[in-house]
Amino acid sequence: AFDAREAHRTPRVHSHERRFGGIRIARTVANVDRGHRARARSDLATDRDRQRSARGSGRATDGKEEEGRKRREGARERGAMADGLKITPEKELAFRFELKKTIPTTIKITNSGKEETAFKVKTTAPKKYCVKPNTGFVRPGETQMIQVIMQAQREWPADISGCKDKFLVQTTPSKGNADFAELFAKGKADITESKLRVVYSQPAPPPSPVPEGDEGVNYGPSSMDAGVAHRGPMSDDVSVLQRDLERYRINNESLTMDLKMAIQNNNRGAAAAKGFTLMHLLLVAIVAFFIGHYT
């Protein structure tokens, strides 16, 4: 009987322990899972903080590099001014752009210091521009004029206000040295630089002449003018040539009529015009035409 009671009690004890032991295990697993999630969130936040700090340090580095570059350029320009050297223009080199024409402009280097200065001019488009002279010396108290010639262009640039061509004017004290390769060696500390950006400007259109006797009359655009209006800056020149051609045609007709009348009067009054030939009348008509045209 004792053994039976013990046998009945044993399963109850075991089931009781299993029941509460399972609860403890579940709670332990849940606590471990919560700990893992908390550590994962903490690691993720740490990674994000590191990334933000890395980006911030990168921006700070870029800003410091840009600031250092501007400081170096400013120091070079101030060094050039302190040495009594002035380059004109200072920022932009302007060209009055025209098709099929060579366009000159100048760079002026003035040395008001006490030392002779060597200069060298470079460009990003050497085939497009001709620089004379591109190297040389400027003595104290003198001024050197540098001529820059843009070769004739056959087409208008796609963006006339956004030219990316640049010039670089380098100067350094010569100190009696005439070797430009040595004077302007890369990395030399006493070289000052001035950057010039190329800008284009369009030429002013010529004034349109008004034919005599047509003042106050507002003519609408003809079909020919409308056809060439969209072709670019040359349309104004075409219109001017058309008006000049029409005026010359009218003058030619008037001179022809005057010549015919003179010939008729010559035939009628031969005695009064004795000694004059047809050649004389033609010369008189030509002279009258030029006098009327240029006065």
Side-chain angles (χ1 to χ4, degrees):
F2 179 78
D3 295 337
R5 285 194 299 270
E6 290 294 332
H8 286 292
R9 289 175 183 174
T10 301
R12 291 179 182 175
V13 172
H14 287 307
S15 63
H16 179 75
E17 290 179 356
R18 284 197 299 270
R19 185 169 60 253
F20 286 98
I23 293 173
R24 292 191 189 98
I25 292 171
R27 288 178 178 175
T28 303
V29 172
N31 291 333
V32 171
D33 190 19
R34 291 192 192 97
H36 284 311
R37 286 199 295 269
R39 282 194 297 272
R41 286 194 294 270
S42 177
D43 294 340
L44 181 60
T46 303
D47 293 340
R48 289 176 178 172
D49 292 339
R50 289 176 180 174
Q51 292 176 0
R52 291 193 188 99
S53 62
R55 286 196 295 268
S57 62
R59 293 195 193 97
T61 303
D62 294 340
K64 290 180 180 178
E65 291 179 355
E66 182 68 18
E67 185 179 356
R69 185 183 63 82
K70 292 182 179 179
R71 191 183 298 111
R72 287 192 298 270
E73 291 181 356
R76 288 173 180 173
E77 293 180 358
R78 288 192 298 271
M81 294 299 294
D83 293 339
L85 200 67
K86 183 178 180 181
I87 299 175
T88 308
E90 297 181 356
K91 299 294 183 181
E92 295 180 348
L93 190 62
F95 290 89
R96 186 175 291 276
F97 192 92
E98 294 185 51
L99 287 178
K100 300 179 180 179
K101 289 185 179 180
T102 56
I103 306 169
T105 189
T106 55
I107 300 174
K108 183 170 67 173
I109 301 177
T110 302
N111 185 5
S112 58
K114 299 180 180 180
E115 294 182 346
E116 185 183 57
T117 301
F119 69 87
K120 187 175 185 180
V121 183
K122 299 180 180 180
T123 178
T124 57
K127 295 183 179 180
K128 187 176 180 181
Y129 302 95
C130 178
V131 182
K132 297 181 180 180
N134 61 344
T135 58
F137 299 94
V138 186
R139 296 178 179 177
E142 294 185 356
T143 298
Q144 175 68 47
M145 303 298 293
I146 303 172
Q147 189 174 28
V148 182
I149 302 174
M150 184 175 70
Q151 304 297 331
Q153 303 296 306
R154 298 182 179 180
E155 297 179 354
W156 285 88
D159 186 7
I160 195 168
S161 62
C163 181
K164 297 182 179 180
D165 299 338
K166 295 179 181 179
F167 282 82
L168 178 66
V169 182
Q170 295 178 314
T171 57
T172 185
S174 63
K175 299 178 181 179
N177 189 357
D179 187 0
F180 283 91
E182 183 178 349
L183 285 171
F184 295 97
K186 188 175 181 180
K188 195 176 177 183
D190 58 352
I191 297 177
T192 59
E193 297 180 347
S194 297
K195 295 180 180 180
L196 303 177
R197 186 174 66 90
V198 175
V199 293
Y200 294 148
S201 61
Q202 295 184 1
S208 300
V210 180
E212 297 180 0
D214 292 340
E215 292 83 0
V217 181
N218 186 12
Y219 292 95
S222 64
S223 60
M224 183 176 293
D225 293 339
V228 299
H230 67 280
R231 295 183 183 177
M234 299 300 292
S235 59
D236 294 336
D237 296 338
V238 174
S239 301
V240 173
L241 291 174
Q242 288 176 352
R243 294 190 185 98
D244 291 342
L245 181 61
E246 182 66 19
R247 186 172 59 184
Y248 294 151
R249 186 183 63 80
I250 294 173
N251 290 336
N252 189 23
E253 291 179 355
S254 177
L255 289 174
T256 304
M257 293 179 63
D258 293 341
L259 182 59
K260 290 181 179 179
M261 293 178 63
I263 293 173
Q264 292 177 0
N265 293 332
N266 185 35
N267 292 334
R268 292 175 183 175
K274 187 176 180 180
F276 293 93
T277 63
L278 182 60
M279 182 61 68
H280 292 96
L281 295 176
L282 288 174
L283 291 174
V284 171
I286 292 172
V287 171
F289 168 75
F290 282 105
I291 292 175
H293 178 68
Y294 289 104
T295 58

